[in-house]
Amino acid sequence: MIRCLAIDDEPLALQQLVAYISKVPFLELAAQCQSAVEARAYLENNTVDAIFCDINMPDLNGMDFVKSLAAPPLVVFTTAYSEYAVEGFRVNAVDYLLKPFGLQDFQRAANRLRERLDDASANPVGPVSSNNPDVLFLKTDYRIVKVSIPDIRYVEAMSEYLKIWLENQQKPIITLLSMKKMEERLPDYFMRIHRSYIINLDKIQEVNKNRIIMDADTYLPIGDMYKDAFQAYLDTKFLGK
């Protein structure tokens, strides 16, 4: 199933979009939003495979919204204004639906989404090493980005995806990858402390009971099955009575 986010500030247009998604067997509606601001807030804590997004919306238009995402999912733009088509394809949109569009047009766009995702699945890119052991490459959306391993603060699992949080970057890199593969690739100064977290031990600021404090805003829990290993690490570094 392809998890979709539907975005349109017009209630009737959004209702139609949701109805069309329900008619395509391989699409699943994850959420519907009436603004790009609402959609951005949703994507901060959730992942989707694709978004159907109107362009002309108040506060933040759909084009700028997609450009603002660190790792945007696949995008199909919907709009009543044909002049956006060229710009839409510049941001690697899968398709562009000109309102009013029917179910047949929508089905065509959905099929293109499926083809794009099938191509990505057939050619997966995991954490690929370079000659430099402190560097790896990760696939995010349809880009491959270079990551300096010492800059990784922690890795967060999110369904089938990982969020890679880096030093001095507010937004994580989001990549389709398992925790196990990432854990196998990272050097020994990384440790898994929870089912959902791998941390860079060099980035710890404080340990407070069952939480690891990475910075003033980031408190990560220590899972029960990882406590003994983490305590053993602390014992090797502890200085004092």
Side-chain angles (χ1 to χ4, degrees):
M1 296 291 283
I2 300 174
R3 284 172 48 81
C4 302
L5 178 62
I7 311 166
D8 201 306
D9 65 307
E10 299 176 9
L12 290 178
L14 183 60
Q15 183 179 351
Q16 182 189 56
L17 196 54
V18 169
Y20 283 167
I21 289 172
S22 70
K23 294 179 184 295
V24 179
F26 55 82
L27 296 184
E28 175 188 356
L29 180 68
Q32 52 183 298
C33 300
Q34 287 192 268
S35 73
V37 175
E38 182 185 347
R40 186 160 61 185
Y42 175 82
L43 290 175
E44 287 178 357
N45 299 302
N46 301 275
T47 60
V48 296
D49 301 306
I51 58 176
F52 290 89
C53 184
D54 187 25
I55 293 179
N56 277 60
M57 292 185 287
D59 298 325
L60 178 64
N61 73 48
M63 197 73 67
D64 290 338
F65 160 65
V66 171
K67 291 177 181 177
S68 74
L69 297 176
L74 298 180
V75 180
V76 173
F77 284 117
T78 66
T79 185
Y81 301 92
S82 59
E83 64 266 24
Y84 287 109
V86 173
E87 188 177 357
F89 286 111
R90 284 176 180 166
V91 297
N92 202 28
V94 173
D95 208 343
Y96 179 97
L97 293 172
L98 186 62
K99 296 178 181 178
F101 54 86
L103 179 58
Q104 185 175 357
D105 293 327
F106 182 85
Q107 179 75 61
R108 182 199 69 222
N111 288 337
R112 288 182 175 177
L113 280 175
R114 183 166 62 175
E115 289 170 4
R116 188 79 70 87
L117 285 169
D118 286 347
D119 288 344
S121 298
N123 299 283
V125 177
V128 180
S129 301
S130 71
N131 292 331
N132 183 343
D134 288 335
V135 167
L136 55 80
F137 290 88
L138 295 171
K139 184 174 182 179
T140 177
D141 188 30
Y142 292 99
R143 300 176 295 126
I144 297 176
V145 297
K146 178 182 176 182
V147 175
S148 172
I149 294 176
D151 287 343
I152 298 175
R153 297 173 59 237
Y154 64 96
V155 178
E156 179 183 0
M158 187 177 58
S159 185
E160 297 177 347
Y161 294 81
L162 297 183
K163 287 183 176 181
I164 315 296
W165 294 89
L166 300 174
E167 198 76 21
N168 301 319
Q169 290 193 25
Q170 292 184 340
K171 294 181 179 180
I173 293 172
I174 300 177
T175 185
L176 181 61
L177 195 64
S178 70
M179 284 287 271
K180 182 179 179 182
K181 285 188 176 180
M182 179 57 77
E183 192 175 11
E184 290 172 350
R185 175 62 185 85
L186 293 173
D188 58 8
Y189 55 90
F190 284 83
M191 178 178 287
R192 190 161 184 177
I193 58 156
H194 188 275
R195 181 180 61 182
S196 300
Y197 297 103
I198 300 171
I199 64 167
N200 184 334
L201 296 167
D202 294 339
K203 306 295 184 183
I204 295 174
Q205 289 192 3
E206 185 178 330
V207 180
N208 188 337
K209 296 182 179 178
N210 291 326
R211 296 187 306 174
I212 294 175
I213 301 173
M214 306 299 288
D215 57 48
D217 300 315
T218 308
Y219 297 72
L220 304 181
I222 305 173
D224 289 342
M225 66 183 296
Y226 302 95
K227 285 180 180 177
D228 291 345
F230 183 70
Q231 185 60 53
Y233 163 77
L234 285 183
D235 291 344
T236 66
K237 303 295 182 181
F238 189 73
L239 184 63
K241 296 182 179 180

